Amino acid sequence: MVVLLKVARGDSVTGSRLGGDPPGVLAGHPVLDTHHYLFTLAAGTAPWQADREVSVLVRRGYAVGDPNDRHPDIALRAVLHSPSPRCARAPGAHPFLASRSLEAGAPGAPDPALIRIADEAHRVQWEESSVRPLLDAGLRFLFTFDEDGYPVDDDVVTEYQFGYGAVHFFGRLDADGLAVDVVAGFVENS
């Protein structure tokens, strides 16, 4: 199963979304004191989520070349949580991103997807040396956030946080195939 998400023209306070205010369930969470909100995958977008959303945040000040680009010391956090609309005026909005919805993309579409959920990663520079420690730790690949999927004819992004690269996410699943933990595995620069 492959699920592709692309950036929509409009915005939404619920569902899969990019940038803008973080989900209200994160209001008061200490992660917003140190990280900027990137995106949320709506509940049920992937079978390993069930009725939970996953929101991803990046540490403030992270830049390409930062040594914290590999698990376990990576500068990104993924938080599983109950479905929640955006929280108005909460800290944590990402300064480089416009607030937009994410919508389903079609396989084989000419524009690349921003998020690709699949059983295996699909990226040119995927290296065994980056993946092996994660697999050996009992994690499996879940999805990729790929900056190649930002629209080129829109003002969605003002600066590429990962140098026009990608972040690969992994997780630990329980006996029912549901994510117990979701982690950013590594950043891959183009």
Side-chain angles (χ1 to χ4, degrees):
M1 176 201 79
V2 175
V3 175
L4 304 175
L5 296 175
K6 64 179 190 167
V7 179
R9 290 248 178 232
D11 192 15
S12 176
V13 296
T14 60
S16 294
R17 54 208 185 262
L18 172 74
D21 292 318
V25 73
L26 297 180
H29 193 292
V31 73
L32 292 181
D33 294 335
T34 56
H35 288 64
H36 289 300
Y37 167 70
L38 285 175
F39 65 89
T40 295
L41 297 179
T45 302
W48 45 263
Q49 286 179 272
D51 60 351
R52 297 167 300 164
E53 293 183 330
V54 61
S55 290
V56 174
L57 304 99
V58 62
R59 190 192 69 232
R60 291 185 184 135
Y62 176 86
V64 175
D66 190 309
N68 299 107
D69 66 353
R70 300 268 181 268
H71 179 73
D73 300 318
I74 195 162
L76 288 107
R77 293 269 314 269
V79 180
L80 286 164
H81 57 81
S82 60
S84 175
R86 292 184 188 275
C87 180
R89 296 177 301 279
H94 200 293
F96 303 159
L97 296 175
S99 184
R100 296 291 175 85
S101 291
L102 296 174
E103 62 187 12
D111 297 326
L114 183 68
I115 297 173
R116 182 178 185 275
I117 301 167
D119 292 330
E120 294 182 12
H122 178 74
R123 183 86 169 151
V124 174
Q125 297 175 3
W126 184 266
E127 295 180 19
E128 182 70 17
S129 63
S130 298
V131 178
R132 182 54 42 206
L134 296 156
L135 300 178
D136 289 348
L139 300 169
R140 66 166 265 215
F141 174 77
L142 298 177
F143 66 96
T144 297
F145 172 84
D146 190 343
E147 289 184 317
D148 190 33
Y150 283 129
V152 294
D153 61 345
D154 205 336
D155 60 352
V156 171
V157 61
T158 58
E159 185 175 322
Y160 289 90
Q161 179 82 61
F162 306 108
Y164 205 65
V167 182
H168 302 286
F169 291 83
F170 294 75
R172 189 172 329 278
L173 305 184
D174 66 15
D176 295 323
L178 300 179
V180 174
D181 193 19
V182 177
V183 298
F186 58 95
V187 176
E188 179 180 29
N189 301 110
S190 292

